Protein backbone atom coordinates (compact mmCIF):
# COMPACT_ATOMS: atom_id res chain seq x y z
CA UNK A 1 0.00 0.00 0.00
CA UNK A 2 1.44 3.41 -0.90
CA UNK A 3 2.47 5.78 1.86
CA UNK A 4 1.47 9.39 2.39
CA UNK A 5 3.18 11.40 -0.31
CA UNK A 6 3.49 15.17 -0.13
CA UNK A 7 4.10 16.72 -3.53
CA UNK A 8 6.37 19.58 -4.46
CA UNK A 9 3.20 21.70 -4.23
CA UNK A 10 3.21 21.50 -0.44
CA UNK A 11 -0.10 21.14 1.33
CA UNK A 12 -0.90 24.32 3.23
CA UNK A 13 -2.80 22.91 6.20
CA UNK A 14 -3.27 26.31 7.84
CA UNK A 15 -5.25 27.42 4.80
CA UNK A 16 -7.75 24.55 5.05
CA UNK A 17 -11.04 25.73 6.53
CA UNK A 18 -13.22 22.93 5.05
CA UNK A 19 -12.87 19.62 3.24
CA UNK A 20 -14.89 18.38 0.28
CA UNK A 21 -15.06 14.66 -0.41
CA UNK A 22 -15.92 12.51 -3.39
CA UNK A 23 -18.20 9.55 -2.60
CA UNK A 24 -17.95 6.57 -5.00
CA UNK A 25 -14.59 4.77 -4.72
CA UNK A 26 -13.54 7.26 -2.04
CA UNK A 27 -15.91 6.28 0.79
CA UNK A 28 -17.01 2.91 -0.64
CA UNK A 29 -16.19 0.68 -3.64
CA UNK A 30 -18.73 1.45 -6.35
CA UNK A 31 -18.60 -1.52 -8.73
CA UNK A 32 -19.63 -4.23 -6.24
CA UNK A 33 -22.55 -1.95 -5.34
CA UNK A 34 -23.57 -1.41 -8.97
CA UNK A 35 -23.24 -5.12 -9.80
CA UNK A 36 -25.50 -6.04 -6.89
CA UNK A 37 -28.02 -3.35 -7.87
CA UNK A 38 -28.05 -4.65 -11.44
CA UNK A 39 -28.79 -8.16 -10.17
CA UNK A 40 -31.72 -6.77 -8.18
CA UNK A 41 -32.91 -4.93 -11.29
CA UNK A 42 -32.71 -8.11 -13.36
CA UNK A 43 -34.65 -10.08 -10.73
CA UNK A 44 -37.33 -7.39 -10.79
CA UNK A 45 -37.55 -7.59 -14.58
CA UNK A 46 -37.79 -11.38 -14.50
CA UNK A 47 -40.91 -11.01 -12.37
CA UNK A 48 -42.49 -7.96 -14.01
CA UNK A 49 -41.10 -7.77 -17.56
CA UNK A 50 -39.69 -11.20 -18.50
CA UNK A 51 -39.13 -10.40 -22.19
CA UNK A 52 -36.99 -7.45 -21.24
CA UNK A 53 -35.09 -9.54 -18.72
CA UNK A 54 -34.34 -12.09 -21.44
CA UNK A 55 -33.25 -9.34 -23.82
CA UNK A 56 -30.83 -7.84 -21.32
CA UNK A 57 -28.97 -11.07 -20.64
CA UNK A 58 -27.90 -11.13 -24.30
CA UNK A 59 -24.23 -10.06 -24.29
CA UNK A 60 -23.71 -6.47 -25.37
CA UNK A 61 -27.37 -5.43 -25.51
CA UNK A 62 -27.40 -3.41 -22.27
CA UNK A 63 -24.19 -1.60 -23.22
CA UNK A 64 -25.57 -0.88 -26.69
CA UNK A 65 -28.76 0.56 -25.18
CA UNK A 66 -26.79 2.70 -22.71
CA UNK A 67 -24.55 4.09 -25.43
CA UNK A 68 -27.51 4.82 -27.70
CA UNK A 69 -29.38 6.52 -24.87
CA UNK A 70 -26.34 8.61 -23.93
CA UNK A 71 -25.98 9.70 -27.56
CA UNK A 72 -29.67 10.48 -28.02
CA UNK A 73 -30.03 12.20 -24.65
CA UNK A 74 -26.85 14.25 -24.38
CA UNK A 75 -28.87 16.65 -22.22
CA UNK A 76 -28.77 13.98 -19.51
CA UNK A 77 -24.97 13.50 -19.54
CA UNK A 78 -24.71 14.81 -15.97
CA UNK A 79 -27.64 12.71 -14.69
CA UNK A 80 -26.73 9.05 -14.26
CA UNK A 81 -30.14 8.24 -12.76
CA UNK A 82 -32.00 9.61 -15.77
CA UNK A 83 -29.67 7.82 -18.19
CA UNK A 84 -30.18 4.53 -16.37
CA UNK A 85 -33.96 5.01 -16.34
CA UNK A 86 -34.07 5.86 -20.05
CA UNK A 87 -31.89 2.84 -20.89
CA UNK A 88 -34.38 0.60 -19.07
CA UNK A 89 -37.23 2.30 -20.93
CA UNK A 90 -35.47 1.67 -24.26
CA UNK A 91 -35.04 -2.02 -23.36
CA UNK A 92 -38.72 -2.34 -22.46
CA UNK A 93 -39.71 -0.81 -25.80
CA UNK A 94 -37.38 -3.08 -27.74
CA UNK A 95 -38.80 -6.13 -25.95
CA UNK A 96 -42.38 -4.98 -26.65
CA UNK A 97 -43.28 -4.42 -23.00
CA UNK A 98 -44.78 -1.41 -21.21
CA UNK A 99 -42.21 1.44 -21.07
CA UNK A 100 -44.01 2.81 -18.00
CA UNK A 101 -42.39 -0.05 -16.07
CA UNK A 102 -39.08 1.84 -16.34
CA UNK A 103 -39.88 3.94 -13.28
CA UNK A 104 -40.57 1.13 -10.78
CA UNK A 105 -37.74 -0.91 -12.32
CA UNK A 106 -35.34 1.95 -11.74
CA UNK A 107 -36.65 2.39 -8.20
CA UNK A 108 -35.66 -1.22 -7.44
CA UNK A 109 -32.16 -0.57 -8.83
CA UNK A 110 -31.79 2.77 -7.04
CA UNK A 111 -32.77 1.43 -3.62
CA UNK A 112 -30.13 -1.29 -3.84
CA UNK A 113 -27.55 1.16 -5.21
CA UNK A 114 -27.74 3.04 -1.89
CA UNK A 115 -26.75 -0.04 0.13
CA UNK A 116 -23.05 0.70 0.17
CA UNK A 117 -20.27 -0.98 2.16
CA UNK A 118 -17.89 1.62 3.53
CA UNK A 119 -14.15 1.07 3.44
CA UNK A 120 -12.87 0.23 6.93
CA UNK A 121 -11.10 3.56 7.35
CA UNK A 122 -14.10 5.71 6.47
CA UNK A 123 -16.25 6.01 9.60
CA UNK A 124 -13.37 6.78 12.02
CA UNK A 125 -11.99 9.28 9.51
CA UNK A 126 -15.33 11.01 8.92
CA UNK A 127 -15.79 11.32 12.67
CA UNK A 128 -12.29 12.80 13.10
CA UNK A 129 -12.55 15.13 10.12
CA UNK A 130 -16.05 16.39 10.89
CA UNK A 131 -14.97 17.37 14.41
CA UNK A 132 -12.34 19.67 12.89
CA UNK A 133 -13.71 20.82 9.53
CA UNK A 134 -17.08 21.30 7.84
CA UNK A 135 -17.38 18.50 5.28
CA UNK A 136 -19.09 18.80 1.90
CA UNK A 137 -19.78 15.95 -0.53
CA UNK A 138 -19.18 16.45 -4.27
CA UNK A 139 -20.20 13.58 -6.55
CA UNK A 140 -20.97 12.91 -10.18
CA UNK A 141 -22.83 9.77 -9.13
CA UNK A 142 -26.34 9.24 -7.79
CA UNK A 143 -25.58 8.20 -4.21
CA UNK A 144 -27.86 9.77 -1.62
CA UNK A 145 -26.11 10.94 1.56
CA UNK A 146 -29.05 10.02 3.80
CA UNK A 147 -29.78 6.66 2.20
CA UNK A 148 -26.12 5.62 2.28
CA UNK A 149 -25.97 6.49 5.98
CA UNK A 150 -23.24 9.14 5.94
CA UNK A 151 -25.27 12.37 6.00
CA UNK A 152 -24.59 13.02 9.70
CA UNK A 153 -20.96 13.87 8.90
CA UNK A 154 -21.66 16.37 6.11
CA UNK A 155 -22.79 19.99 6.23
CA UNK A 156 -23.97 19.83 2.62
CA UNK A 157 -23.75 17.72 -0.53
CA UNK A 158 -23.66 18.38 -4.26
CA UNK A 159 -24.22 15.95 -7.10
CA UNK A 160 -24.11 16.56 -10.82
CA UNK A 161 -27.78 15.67 -11.38
CA UNK A 162 -29.19 18.23 -8.96
CA UNK A 163 -26.56 20.88 -9.63
CA UNK A 164 -26.82 20.66 -13.42
CA UNK A 165 -23.15 19.99 -14.12
CA UNK A 166 -20.44 17.98 -12.45
CA UNK A 167 -16.74 17.49 -11.93
CA UNK A 168 -14.22 18.39 -13.31
CA UNK A 169 -15.99 21.67 -14.13
CA UNK A 170 -15.30 24.46 -11.65
CA UNK A 171 -18.87 25.58 -10.78
CA UNK A 172 -19.71 22.57 -8.61
CA UNK A 173 -16.47 22.97 -6.63
CA UNK A 174 -17.13 26.68 -6.16
CA UNK A 175 -20.70 26.02 -5.04
CA UNK A 176 -19.46 23.45 -2.51
CA UNK A 177 -17.06 26.00 -1.02
CA UNK A 178 -19.75 28.70 -0.97
CA UNK A 179 -22.16 26.37 0.85
CA UNK A 180 -19.94 26.61 3.93
CA UNK A 181 -19.18 30.30 3.42
CA UNK A 182 -15.73 29.88 1.91
CA UNK A 183 -13.74 30.52 -1.25
CA UNK A 184 -12.28 27.51 -3.12
CA UNK A 185 -8.76 28.41 -1.97
CA UNK A 186 -9.81 27.65 1.61
CA UNK A 187 -11.01 24.11 0.80
CA UNK A 188 -9.15 20.81 0.40
CA UNK A 189 -10.85 18.40 -1.99
CA UNK A 190 -10.26 14.67 -1.56
CA UNK A 191 -11.10 12.07 -4.20
CA UNK A 192 -9.92 9.03 -6.12
CA UNK A 193 -10.27 10.22 -9.71
CA UNK A 194 -7.17 11.99 -11.02
CA UNK A 195 -9.04 14.12 -13.56
CA UNK A 196 -12.51 14.59 -12.08
CA UNK A 197 -11.34 15.15 -8.52
CA UNK A 198 -7.75 16.36 -8.52
CA UNK A 199 -7.39 18.28 -11.78
CA UNK A 200 -10.92 19.63 -11.41
CA UNK A 201 -10.35 20.84 -7.85
CA UNK A 202 -6.99 22.41 -8.70
CA UNK A 203 -8.49 24.21 -11.69
CA UNK A 204 -11.24 25.55 -9.42
CA UNK A 205 -8.65 26.97 -7.03
CA UNK A 206 -8.79 24.33 -4.30
CA UNK A 207 -5.99 22.29 -2.81
CA UNK A 208 -6.35 18.60 -3.66
CA UNK A 209 -5.54 15.26 -2.07
CA UNK A 210 -5.48 12.22 -4.35
CA UNK A 211 -6.76 9.13 -2.55
CA UNK A 212 -5.20 6.08 -4.23
CA UNK A 213 -6.16 2.75 -2.70
CA UNK A 214 -4.04 0.91 -5.26
CA UNK A 215 -0.65 1.65 -6.83
CA UNK A 216 -1.10 4.06 -9.75
CA UNK A 217 1.29 6.65 -11.14
CA UNK A 218 0.29 10.28 -11.49
CA UNK A 219 0.03 10.96 -15.23
CA UNK A 220 -1.19 14.54 -15.44
CA UNK A 221 0.29 18.03 -15.37
CA UNK A 222 -0.74 19.94 -12.26
CA UNK A 223 -0.18 17.69 -9.26
CA UNK A 224 -2.09 17.19 -6.01
CA UNK A 225 -0.65 18.66 -2.84
CA UNK A 226 -1.04 15.28 -1.14
CA UNK A 227 -1.32 11.62 -2.15
CA UNK A 228 -2.76 9.21 0.43
CA UNK A 229 -3.76 5.51 0.38
CA UNK A 230 -6.83 5.97 2.58
CA UNK A 231 -8.66 8.47 4.78
CA UNK A 232 -6.77 7.38 7.90
CA UNK A 233 -3.58 8.53 6.22
CA UNK A 234 -5.27 11.82 5.32
CA UNK A 235 -6.13 12.41 8.99
CA UNK A 236 -2.57 11.60 10.01
CA UNK A 237 -1.20 14.05 7.44
CA UNK A 238 -3.49 16.82 8.66
CA UNK A 239 -2.76 16.14 12.32
CA UNK A 240 1.02 16.00 11.94
CA UNK A 241 1.34 19.07 9.73
Amino acid sequence: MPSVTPDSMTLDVKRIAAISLDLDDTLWPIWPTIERAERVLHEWLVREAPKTASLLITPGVLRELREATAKERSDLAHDLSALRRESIRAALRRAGEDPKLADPAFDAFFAERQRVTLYDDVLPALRWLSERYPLVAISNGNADLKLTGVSRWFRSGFNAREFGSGKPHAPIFRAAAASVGLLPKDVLHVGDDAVLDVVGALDAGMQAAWLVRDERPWEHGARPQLIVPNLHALCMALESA
Side-chain angles (χ1 to χ4, degrees), residues 126-180:
L126 288 178
R127 187 178 301 113
W128 190 91
L129 291 168
S130 65
E131 289 172 353
R132 290 159 178 81
Y133 305 96
L135 303 183
V136 183
I138 308 178
S139 177
N140 282 8
N142 54 7
D144 182 289
L145 288 176
K146 289 184 179 179
L147 295 177
T148 54
V150 297
S151 61
R152 77 187 87 169
W153 312 113
F154 289 89
R155 297 282 184 89
S156 58
F158 290 79
N159 64 53
R161 178 180 63 83
E162 294 178 357
F163 187 71
S165 67
K167 302 176 293 185
H169 305 299
I172 197 168
F173 291 103
R174 293 173 183 155
S179 73
V180 288

Side-chain angles (χ1 to χ4, degrees), residues 84-129:
R84 170 82 60 172
R85 187 183 292 106
E86 292 310 307
S87 296
I88 297 170
R89 201 181 311 280
L92 288 159
R93 287 196 183 100
R94 183 178 292 193
E97 293 180 309
D98 187 354
K100 292 180 180 178
L101 291 172
D103 291 329
F106 173 78
D107 290 344
F109 168 87
F110 188 74
E112 189 66 23
R113 186 261 186 269
Q114 308 306 319
R115 291 183 59 245
V116 298
T117 302
L118 301 176
Y119 291 114
D120 290 342
D121 56 285
V122 169
L123 281 182
L126 288 178
R127 187 178 301 113
W128 190 91
L129 291 168

